[in-house]
Amino acid sequence: MKSDAYMDMVRSAQKRPEFWRLFVILAVGLVVGLFATPLFFLTIGAADPALNAINVDASGMPRVGVTPGGLFVVLAGFAILVVATVITAERLTARSLRDITGPSALMRRDFWATLKWLSGLLVVLLILPSGGDPAQVSVQYGFSQWLFWVPFAVIGLMVQVLAEELFFRGYFQTQITGATKSYVFGVVGSAALFGVGHVSPVADGLAGYFPVLWAICFGVVAGDLTMRSGTIGPAVAIHLVNNFAAMMFAPHKDVFSGFGMWVSTANLEDLYSDPMIMIYEFAFLAVTWLAARVAIRR
């Protein structure tokens, strides 16, 4: 189902639909992800060691965002992608911010409607068993200390999810659709690119590709919600709730764990190859997608 507002977004992409522009957009994303953002991390970390985004453990393995300051820097660094996306959309494809977000009033309405439904759903789902060994989860912060970090986490997460949805769904997905005249190619193409960026840096073999498969499925869900809404609002909301759940409760101790009330010490290769974990993760995604559709009534 494609809303009228989404068709307007696609029409704005068709003003300059040449395929070579898609490769330029990809190049911009790569430059931001591989050069500009790491440079930002190094600069901030050099100014204050407490804000180091990447630490190295005793075995020489990188640990990403394992302190509150470090994780906040990781998330805040996505602001670079926001700026790059807006500038590229305007200069390369003559598209305004509204063209890649959808109507602002509709975006806000669908964002809040989706967020309210998913927040309630998250409370229920967190109570349900998700697999894994409870003995491999340890307390990182007391409740009051964790609450202190929650506002910083929400601000950082909003920057991150807004940046990714703006680039992947609002801009790249609609630009692919405008170039190919295929709504399916738009959703699947942007989802595939989104998934490639989620190869696990700390898991080898087949387990390293489970996050990729899950991210591709997430991209399809977010793309579908963007088509139905005609804005990136619901996709931002579902992305925010998903990342909040992943980072705030029991993240793995080596990856984005700086804000977690608990941390998991389990082997990531074991987790990503555990059928119960896989079932839970995909079920969580399916249920949140259905809840988001109910929230926006499309």
Side-chain angles (χ1 to χ4, degrees):
M1 176 180 176
K2 300 172 286 293
S3 69
D4 291 340
Y6 187 72
M7 292 181 182
D8 288 340
M9 294 173 72
V10 172
R11 276 191 284 269
S12 74
Q14 291 173 330
K15 290 185 291 186
R16 295 184 180 178
E18 297 82 3
F19 279 96
W20 66 264
R21 298 182 193 276
L22 297 177
F23 293 101
V24 175
I25 296 168
L26 279 174
V28 169
L30 287 172
V31 168
V32 170
L34 297 178
F35 299 103
T37 304
L39 180 60
F40 171 77
F41 294 164
L42 291 173
T43 302
I44 299 298
D48 186 345
L51 299 178
N52 270 327
I54 302 174
N55 303 94
V56 179
D57 64 18
S59 65
M61 293 295 295
R63 304 174 71 230
V64 184
V66 295
T67 64
L71 183 51
F72 184 79
V73 168
V74 170
L75 299 174
F78 279 85
I80 299 171
L81 182 59
V82 173
V83 174
T85 301
V86 172
I87 292 175
T88 303
E90 290 179 348
R91 301 288 179 85
L92 181 68
T93 50
R95 301 180 69 185
S96 67
L97 181 60
R98 181 194 175 282
D99 289 332
I100 59 176
T101 63
S104 57
L106 179 60
M107 179 175 65
R108 289 193 299 270
R109 187 191 74 187
D110 283 358
F111 169 79
W112 287 113
T114 305
L115 186 64
K116 285 188 289 186
W117 272 78
L118 295 187
S119 296
L121 179 63
L122 177 61
V123 173
V124 175
L125 291 177
L126 286 174
I127 298 172
L128 299 177
S130 59
D133 184 356
Q136 294 179 313
V137 176
S138 59
V139 175
Q140 179 168 233
Y141 302 122
F143 184 68
S144 60
Q145 189 179 13
W146 179 77
L147 280 180
F148 173 82
W149 292 116
V150 167
F152 296 94
V154 171
I155 292 170
L157 284 168
M158 274 302 301
V159 173
Q160 182 222 349
V161 300
L162 179 61
E164 292 189 336
E165 294 309 317
L166 192 67
F167 180 81
F168 287 102
R169 257 61 70 177
Y171 188 28
F172 196 57
Q173 175 177 310
T174 55
Q175 201 66 39
I176 294 174
T177 302
T180 63
K181 297 181 174 59
S182 169
Y183 289 95
V184 173
F185 282 171
V187 172
V188 174
S190 61
L193 178 64
F194 182 71
V196 168
H198 286 75
V199 175
S200 174
V202 289
D204 296 321
L206 185 61
Y209 294 97
F210 169 69
V212 176
L213 177 60
W214 188 92
I216 291 173
C217 293
F218 178 89
V220 171
V221 165
D224 173 76
L225 291 173
T226 300
M227 284 199 303
R228 292 174 184 276
S229 169
T231 78
I232 62 172
V236 170
I238 196 173
H239 205 155
L240 177 64
V241 170
N242 173 78
N243 286 13
F244 185 89
M247 294 185 192
M248 298 303 294
F249 296 104
H252 192 271
K253 64 181 181 64
D254 292 332
V255 187
F256 305 139
S257 60
F259 292 132
M261 181 184 295
W262 302 277
V263 291
S264 170
T265 58
N267 185 300
L268 275 179
E269 293 182 22
D270 293 338
L271 285 178
Y272 290 160
S273 58
D274 184 335
M276 285 300 297
I277 297 293
M278 294 181 181
I279 291 171
Y280 177 85
E281 291 292 338
F282 283 112
F284 180 88
L285 180 59
V287 171
T288 52
W289 171 62
L290 293 173
R293 285 189 54 182
V294 171
I296 63 174
R297 292 175 173 79
R298 297 182 189 87

